[in-house]
Amino acid sequence: MLKLLTKTFKPSYNKSLTIDRLKTCNTQIRNVSMKDKKNVKILIIDDSGFDTDRLERLGYKDIKRVDSFTSMDDMEIYDIILCDINGVAKDMNEIYQGAALAKSIKDTYPTKIVVIYSSKPQKPDFYEYYKEVDDVIKKTINTTDLSDKLNKYILKLNDPIEIWNATKERLNKYNISSKTIALMEHYYVKSILKNKDYTSEILSIDCGLSSDVKSKLLLGACELVKLYIKS
């Protein structure tokens, strides 16, 4: 987990950078292989089995399947999480099970790709959970369509604009002030434009959340900055 600094950081607001600056500059990740089939980490939460061989045949190397959810901290190392609905998270929510788990993972780690998949249609009230994650797919999805979706997920993981927008959306849900979010955004954009690591400044900004919650929310954005600088 990212280590937080205890100091209070108070930079100037006079020349704040926004994510629109990256759009204007058409900033792209210079090395698209930062996250690719060989190094992207995939977790499958499924108690009834999942054909991981199919992913391996598509070229994915780092795949793990577990029968059930254990700890939110265990989710931290993965980039893409595929979550079944039935049987994987009864202790969390007896009715919505894996759908509730997927939403909880996305709430905690907003920049991870979280996908719900199931073998059968669910009741309409499940759609409240579906809209909170990145995608919903059927277990019967063919290999070509699965490959196309995974490629899109990786592009999203490599896009600094997508990563910040996902982070910002969750920060807003925690009712973080717009001024605080703007300050975090400033240092995120500055890191990419200047090719310099300002993640300590981002993490030092007081937003009223516990260190643990804040570090999880900002994990993806800070990781992308560090990977981008190394590329």
Side-chain angles (χ1 to χ4, degrees):
M1 188 178 296
L2 292 169
K3 185 178 180 181
L4 296 177
L5 301 181
T6 57
K7 68 178 182 178
T8 301
F9 198 81
K10 298 180 179 180
S12 171
Y13 290 86
N14 293 334
K15 297 182 179 180
S16 295
L17 296 167
T18 71
I19 204 70
D20 288 335
R21 180 68 181 275
L22 298 187
K23 297 175 184 177
T24 302
C25 297
N26 197 27
T27 301
Q28 300 273 338
I29 293 296
R30 287 190 302 270
N31 182 1
V32 295
S33 65
M34 273 179 18
K35 296 284 185 182
D36 60 18
K37 292 181 178 181
K38 295 178 182 177
N39 58 33
V40 70
K41 296 180 182 296
I42 300 176
L43 175 67
I44 298 135
I45 307 174
D46 186 350
D47 68 333
S48 60
F50 182 95
D51 184 11
T52 57
D53 289 343
R54 185 158 63 143
L55 295 181
E56 291 174 0
R57 289 194 295 272
L58 288 173
Y60 293 92
K61 304 296 183 183
D62 198 337
I63 309 161
K64 182 176 181 179
R65 189 188 71 80
V66 296
D67 293 331
S68 61
F69 171 76
T70 52
S71 165
M72 193 60 68
D73 286 344
D74 292 341
M75 305 294 105
E76 185 170 306
I77 65 172
Y78 299 100
D79 301 300
I80 299 172
I81 300 170
L82 304 179
C83 190
D84 190 14
I85 291 180
N86 297 315
V88 300
K90 290 182 179 179
D91 293 340
M92 175 177 287
N93 189 310
E94 189 173 350
I95 297 175
Y96 299 105
Q97 299 183 46
L101 171 60
K103 178 183 180 300
S104 182
I105 295 171
K106 190 66 179 179
D107 285 342
T108 306
Y109 299 106
T111 59
K112 296 187 183 302
I113 302 297
V114 182
V115 179
I116 293 174
Y117 72 95
S118 184
S119 58
K120 58 183 180 181
Q122 302 294 332
K123 295 178 181 179
D125 50 353
F126 275 79
Y127 289 95
E128 290 301 311
Y129 293 92
Y130 290 177
K131 68 183 183 181
E132 297 294 330
V133 299
D134 294 279
D135 204 356
V136 179
I137 62 176
K138 295 180 180 179
K139 281 189 176 181
T140 54
I141 186 172
N142 65 57
T143 301
T144 299
D145 289 343
L146 178 60
S147 177
D148 289 343
K149 284 183 174 292
L150 289 168
N151 287 337
K152 290 178 181 178
Y153 301 159
I154 291 174
L155 287 175
K156 191 173 182 179
L157 288 168
N158 280 331
D159 187 331
I161 297 173
E162 289 276 1
I163 291 296
W164 181 252
N165 285 340
T167 302
K168 185 176 181 178
E169 179 183 350
R170 281 319 193 266
L171 289 170
N172 279 319
K173 288 190 175 184
Y174 277 88
N175 296 315
I176 308 302
S177 73
S178 57
K179 185 177 182 180
T180 298
I181 295 174
L183 188 56
M184 292 177 175
E185 184 172 324
H186 169 80
Y187 283 107
Y188 176 78
V189 174
K190 187 175 182 179
S191 294
I192 295 171
L193 292 178
K194 300 293 186 181
N195 197 34
K196 185 176 179 180
D197 188 351
Y198 289 99
T199 56
S200 60
E201 283 81 358
I202 297 172
L203 291 168
S204 69
I205 297 168
D206 183 14
C207 63
L209 298 175
S210 70
S211 296
D212 182 60
V213 171
K214 180 166 69 168
S215 66
K216 285 182 170 66
L217 285 173
L218 295 171
L219 175 69
C222 291
E223 282 187 342
L224 183 138
V225 166
K226 293 178 182 296
L227 287 171
Y228 182 81
I229 290 170
K230 290 179 181 178
S231 65

